[in-house]
Amino acid sequence: MLAGLLSSGLTHVLGRSLCRSKRWERNNYAGRTVNLYGGVALASALALSNAINALLDTREVRGTSSTPLFVAGSLSALGAGMAGLVDDMGDLSTIRKSDPPYEVATDNLVAVEHAKGFKGHLGALRQGRVTTGIMKIVAIGGTAACAATVLQALHSSRRRPAVQALGDWVVDSALIAGMANMHNLFDLRPGRALKVGALLSTPGMVSPKIRKLSANTLGAIAVALPNDLNEHTMLGDTGANALGAVVGVQIAAQASRPVKFVVFLSVAALTMISEKVSFSKVIESCRLLKAVDSWGRRPH
């Protein structure tokens, strides 16, 4: 956890210094101006803390090196975070519409950026338009596949049939990518995605295999949460995707095949449901969920 805390503190200080321009500012759900450096700092902290552990931690768990786990965590945070950053910075409102060379292009591109969800982005693609959302989906999928490939080294101590190994890789890839997207779906209110990430990472603290990875995640969340709840910063796609990908790595590395499959199906179901149902409305309708969701948040 110390690596997560220190890395997150450092990246927050650097992010605050580097992301001062209005290009990094967005209006949140309540109309308040917040800064995206919170998401950049979180993604950077997750990637950095796990990279440090990969370099320094030479201990083995049950005869298997833990280095692949940290490499997968760092890779997934970096790749998913960068993919989210492309989507975050795809907001073209900063382009000057008064500049003639960009007037027509800007109008077309803004229309593309209005596509929302898988259905919207795929619809735009069928019309020959490539949105930043499509680019993000491809990039996160590729990152998840790479992280899942690295994780296969954790299973190298036991022999598996080729078909079984391929199945593990497919499920792990889908799980990591799905978790990255799911956390982004929850990032609609201050602190919500961070609380989901903390809830899913806490069980990992009792597992020797993924304890350090979970601790790094919880440490980074602890530093990011106050600014997010107070609406000084927001995660954006950058932070939410990175957090979800690392949570996905934790589950893929530790859970049994049946559990991973059930988790993936649940994530896929939530993703499909989100196209029709508002998570915020569901949370607001349940007293317990509403209390947990609003805990620590600024009153409106």
Side-chain angles (χ1 to χ4, degrees):
M1 182 175 287
L2 181 60
L5 288 169
L6 293 177
S7 298
S8 192
L10 175 62
T11 53
H12 266 78
V13 171
L14 292 176
R16 186 179 301 173
S17 301
L18 296 174
C19 305
R20 289 183 174 179
S21 71
K22 290 188 177 297
R23 181 172 177 79
W24 295 91
E25 293 179 352
R26 298 291 186 275
N27 289 330
N28 69 0
Y29 79 107
R32 289 196 174 101
T33 301
V34 294
N35 196 295
L36 284 169
Y37 82 77
V40 175
L42 178 63
S44 301
L46 291 169
L48 179 60
S49 60
N50 287 302
I52 291 172
N53 279 130
L55 291 173
L56 300 181
D57 195 326
T58 58
R59 292 183 300 173
E60 295 189 349
V61 177
R62 293 181 182 178
T64 302
S65 173
S66 57
T67 300
L69 177 64
F70 297 123
V71 172
S74 183
L75 176 63
S76 62
L78 183 62
M82 291 182 66
L85 183 61
V86 170
D87 207 18
D88 282 336
M89 302 314 287
D91 183 355
L92 303 174
S93 61
T94 56
I95 297 178
R96 293 177 298 168
K97 290 180 181 271
S98 59
D99 194 346
Y102 294 100
E103 281 184 357
V104 175
T106 300
D107 290 339
N108 289 338
L109 289 171
V110 167
V112 173
E113 292 308 315
H114 285 165
K116 297 295 182 181
F118 281 116
K119 185 177 180 180
H121 291 301
L122 292 176
L125 186 62
R126 283 195 296 269
Q127 297 175 13
R129 300 178 299 172
V130 179
T131 67
T132 55
I134 285 293
M135 291 188 286
K136 185 182 75 169
I137 291 169
V138 173
I140 289 178
T143 296
C146 291
T149 301
V150 174
L151 285 179
Q152 299 312 300
L154 295 175
H155 310 301
S156 60
S157 60
R158 66 175 189 268
R159 292 184 177 181
R160 295 172 296 163
V163 173
Q164 192 177 82
L166 178 61
D168 287 341
W169 177 79
V170 170
V171 172
D172 288 354
S173 300
L175 182 58
I176 294 169
M179 275 291 175
N181 181 66
M182 188 191 76
H183 278 67
N184 193 39
L185 295 177
F186 278 109
D187 188 36
L188 298 177
R189 293 292 186 274
R192 183 180 292 171
L194 291 168
K195 291 173 184 176
V196 171
L199 177 66
L200 294 176
S201 296
T202 299
M205 293 298 293
V206 301
S207 168
K209 188 175 184 178
I210 64 170
R211 181 178 297 147
K212 280 194 173 182
L213 179 59
S214 298
N216 287 340
T217 306
L218 290 171
I221 289 172
V223 175
L225 193 58
N227 280 329
D228 202 69
L229 287 173
N230 288 315
E231 300 180 45
H232 298 148
T233 64
M234 66 181 293
L235 297 186
D237 289 16
T238 307
N241 287 152
L243 175 60
V246 174
V247 171
V249 169
Q250 294 177 53
I251 298 173
Q254 175 62 24
S256 63
R257 290 190 186 98
V259 170
K260 286 193 285 188
F261 192 66
V262 169
V263 172
F264 166 67
L265 290 180
S266 300
V267 170
L270 284 173
T271 301
M272 290 187 289
I273 291 171
S274 71
E275 298 283 344
K276 299 291 184 180
V277 179
S278 168
F279 286 173
S280 294
K281 289 184 178 179
V282 173
I283 291 171
E284 288 290 325
S285 66
C286 175
R287 183 176 298 180
L288 177 59
L289 291 177
K290 182 178 179 180
V292 174
D293 183 56
S294 60
W295 173 82
R297 188 181 300 158
R298 290 177 61 177
H300 290 282

